[in-house]
């Protein structure tokens, strides 16, 4: 029953069902700062020019709204997994998601940070534990 999303230096926050092409964009301090300065309506990737009236890209609000049936089923448990810059951005997004009613104010938040192999194991363990709590077998 878990739902997954990802945070990308290139694409921003997206539901895991979002199709993506290969890319190689590191999470630089500048990109991290720009993402943390944004809100749920900030589109990513950022526009390079002002030529378009409607900004291109997608915003976190549209993805979290879809994942929670527009806030009618807010998340009660959340895992944040990634490097320290990603964790900082996800913590900011988490506060915005809570303010928007997409994540419960008293949600259990698990932060998973460390070497990639350990994070994968820890995330799997979190997913299995959440499945068992929901009555899965």
């Amino acid at each position: 029953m878990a739902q997954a999303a990802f945070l990308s230096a290139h694409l921003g926050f997206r539901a895991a069902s979002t199709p993506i092409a290969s890319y190689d964009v590191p999470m630089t301090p500048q990109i991290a700062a720009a993402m943390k300065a944004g809100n749920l309506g900030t589109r990513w990737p950022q526009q390079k020019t002002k030529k378009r009236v409607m900004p291109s890209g997608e915003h976190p609000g549209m993805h979290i709204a879809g994942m929670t049936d527009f806030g009618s089923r807010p998340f009660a448990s959340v895992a944040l997994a990634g490097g320290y810059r990603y964790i900082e951005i996800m913590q900011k997004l988490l506060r915005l998601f809570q303010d928007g009613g997409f994540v419960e104010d008293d949600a259990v938040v698990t932060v998973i940070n460390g070497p990639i192999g350990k994070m994968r194991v820890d995330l799997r363990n979190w997913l299995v534990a959440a499945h068992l709590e929901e009555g899965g077998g």
Side-chain angles (χ1 to χ4, degrees), residues 81 112 114-127:
I112 300 170
I116 189 73
K118 181 161 179 8
M119 286 192 298
R120 290 177 67 166
V121 168
D122 290 348
L123 183 56
R124 181 185 188 288
N125 290 339
W126 181 83
L127 287 165

Side-chain angles (χ1 to χ4, degrees), residues 1-80:
M1 299 304 282
Q3 292 194 48
F6 65 90
L7 180 65
S8 157
H10 179 63
L11 298 171
F13 178 86
R14 305 282 172 105
S17 60
T18 304
I20 60 172
S22 275
Y23 66 90
D24 184 17
V25 178
M27 181 61 78
T28 64
Q30 296 81 7
I31 292 173
M35 284 186 173
K36 287 192 292 189
N39 58 38
L40 293 186
T42 301
R43 294 178 181 271
W44 205 263
Q46 291 182 313
Q47 253 182 246
K48 305 267 189 252
T49 68
K50 301 282 185 192
K51 288 182 181 178
R52 294 184 59 155
V53 175
M54 179 65 170
S56 59
E58 299 179 17
H59 56 84
M62 65 189 279
H63 289 285
I64 195 69
M67 293 172 70
T68 62
D69 288 336
F70 298 90
S72 66
R73 294 185 343 192
F75 292 109
S77 182
V78 176
L80 309 176

